[in-house]
Amino acid sequence: MRAWTTSGMARLDAGLLRMASRKHRLIGIALLRIVIGLATVMYCLSDYGNRRFLWGPDSYNSIETAKAALSPGSFSVYFFSHSTVWFEIVFHATILMSAVYMVYGGRVLTLIQAILMWSLHNRNQDVLEGGDNLAQILIIFMVFTVSNAYFAPGAKQRRARFREDEGPSLPTVVHNLAAYLIVFQTAILYFAAGYWKIAGKMWQDGVAMYYISRLTGFQIWPAYAHLMSNAYVTTAVSYFTIFAELALPFAILSARGWVRKVNTLALEGMHLGIMAFMGLVCFGLLMIGADCTCLRDEDYRSLGNRVTALVSRFTARLRPPAPAGPPVVKDPAVGLLETGGSGADA
């Protein structure tokens, strides 16, 4: 018993030291940053022509009505004034800052992005798709992370500085704690979604996707409804969705990298299908961004190496073969000298 306790304490100490010494999930956090910025820009531009009707001071959803619909403590900078000029400034600032945040990242820009994104979502909740709820939570955690260690100007130098400063430090602990909270929130969301699905009769019978494909608001591609009319397809897709969502928490904790990769790629494929067939583009993007944090940095490096190897192999096959040189004609005299024989012996 004492040996088991000692071993457990040693593992705990090693885990805490690992958490305090090196920043983790840097690639996933950077991808989430890009997705949040991109989704916000797309969300604004998709209804740009109707922006005043949807979010302006003279919107069908008045500022007073929007305030009354919010829970206590919620806010929106759109509520500060009934001026159309103020609305235009804030709305276009949201587009601009989201694009800048997508490229540069950093804690200050993350905080600004959080304020503007929360304000836009709270101004009119009638036009939200669902993924915004998760994004509103995750971006709070992202304020405490390093979101520009990859895919941002100066990212390479930033990572080099991290390697030089390796060792237990408070900023590292804060980053890792926030990153793990992002992963935890994502895992809980998927597990709860899978649990509620498996408790529903339509999902148990495997016909849920059939009825979803018949919803009026999601019939953007007629072939989707036709495909879901096949009993085998709709049952397979329904059960696949439940399994992938319920498996995520266990895949994240798995020591086998291929389990995490397969499960995460399955979820991202599911959301790509939602984007393509149901038209929920911003929702799908935000969920894919959250999925990206479920893979470790070493998982991304392994995937990158594999993709690079496949690309190299593919390009090598496409490359034309090198032209053959002229045939080498050997002098008979040289052959006689090498064998030490004579013309008669030959």
Side-chain angles (χ1 to χ4, degrees):
M1 181 68 179
R2 184 177 299 176
W4 182 87
T5 304
T6 303
S7 174
M9 291 300 296
R11 291 182 180 180
L12 179 60
D13 290 342
L16 292 175
L17 181 62
R18 181 173 175 268
M19 180 176 176
S21 300
R22 183 168 63 87
K23 294 179 175 67
H24 301 283
R25 313 264 175 181
L26 291 172
I27 300 177
I29 295 295
L31 291 173
L32 177 59
R33 176 203 88 222
I34 294 172
V35 167
I36 288 179
L38 177 62
T40 306
V41 171
M42 293 179 63
Y43 181 71
C44 292
L45 295 182
S46 62
D47 286 303
Y48 184 81
N50 299 318
R51 63 188 183 280
R52 294 187 181 182
F53 175 73
L54 295 175
W55 301 289
D58 300 322
S59 165
Y60 77 93
N61 186 26
S62 67
I63 290 179
E64 289 71 22
T65 303
K67 284 182 179 179
L70 296 178
S71 57
S74 299
F75 71 95
S76 174
V77 295
Y78 292 93
F79 297 160
F80 292 174
S81 173
H82 287 72
S83 168
T84 302
V85 175
W86 172 253
F87 162 75
E88 293 290 352
I89 291 174
V90 175
F91 187 81
H92 288 89
T94 302
I95 299 175
L96 176 61
M97 293 308 300
S98 297
V100 173
Y101 174 66
M102 180 175 58
V103 176
Y104 290 95
R107 289 189 173 92
V108 174
L109 287 176
T110 303
L111 181 59
I112 296 173
Q113 175 69 20
I115 294 172
L116 294 174
M117 189 180 74
W118 270 73
S119 297
L120 183 65
H121 292 171
N122 289 338
R123 176 59 187 90
N124 189 350
Q125 297 187 338
D126 293 346
V127 293
L128 300 179
E129 294 182 353
D132 46 88
N133 295 324
L134 180 62
Q136 288 176 3
I137 298 173
L138 298 189
I139 200 166
I140 296 175
F141 299 141
M142 289 191 67
V143 174
F144 303 96
T145 65
V146 179
S147 60
N148 53 1
Y150 285 88
F151 317 120
K156 189 174 182 180
Q157 293 80 1
R158 203 168 289 114
R159 295 197 302 272
R161 190 164 59 251
F162 291 161
R163 287 191 292 269
E164 293 174 358
D165 299 337
E166 276 191 356
S169 65
L170 181 59
T172 301
V173 174
V174 171
H175 165 87
N176 287 333
L177 181 60
Y180 292 147
L181 286 173
I182 290 174
V183 176
F184 176 77
Q185 179 66 44
T186 303
I188 290 297
L189 174 68
Y190 273 113
F191 188 80
Y195 174 80
W196 286 111
K197 284 182 178 68
I198 204 172
K201 181 171 177 50
M202 286 194 299
W203 287 96
Q204 292 176 8
D205 295 340
V207 297
M209 295 305 301
Y210 170 81
Y211 289 104
I212 291 174
S213 68
R214 263 61 184 175
L215 293 176
T216 305
F218 303 121
Q219 293 180 351
I220 66 169
W221 197 46
Y224 171 56
H226 178 73
L227 185 64
M228 289 299 118
S229 298
N230 185 294
Y232 295 104
V233 173
T234 189
T235 301
V237 173
S238 298
Y239 287 167
F240 168 82
T241 302
I242 295 174
F243 177 79
E245 291 180 342
L246 289 176
L248 181 62
F250 306 99
I252 291 173
L253 297 174
S254 174
R256 293 176 173 84
W258 69 267
V259 175
R260 295 190 298 272
K261 297 171 193 173
V262 169
N263 188 244
T264 301
L265 291 175
L267 290 172
E268 293 183 350
M270 180 181 73
H271 289 299
L272 287 174
I274 290 174
M275 293 167 61
F277 300 141
M278 301 177 66
L280 300 175
V281 177
C282 290
F283 168 79
L285 273 177
L286 290 171
M287 294 306 300
I288 288 175
D291 297 342
C292 290
T293 63
C294 297
L295 293 179
R296 303 174 185 176
D297 290 341
E298 51 266 31
D299 295 332
Y300 282 106
R301 296 188 186 98
S302 173
L303 286 172
N305 293 336
R306 182 162 298 183
V307 170
T308 302
L310 289 174
V311 171
S312 300
R313 190 179 305 171
F314 181 73
T315 53
R317 290 181 178 180
L318 295 179
R319 192 180 302 120
V328 178
V329 179
K330 196 170 184 180
D331 189 346
V334 175
L336 292 175
L337 293 174
E338 289 177 350
T339 58
S342 63
D345 293 334

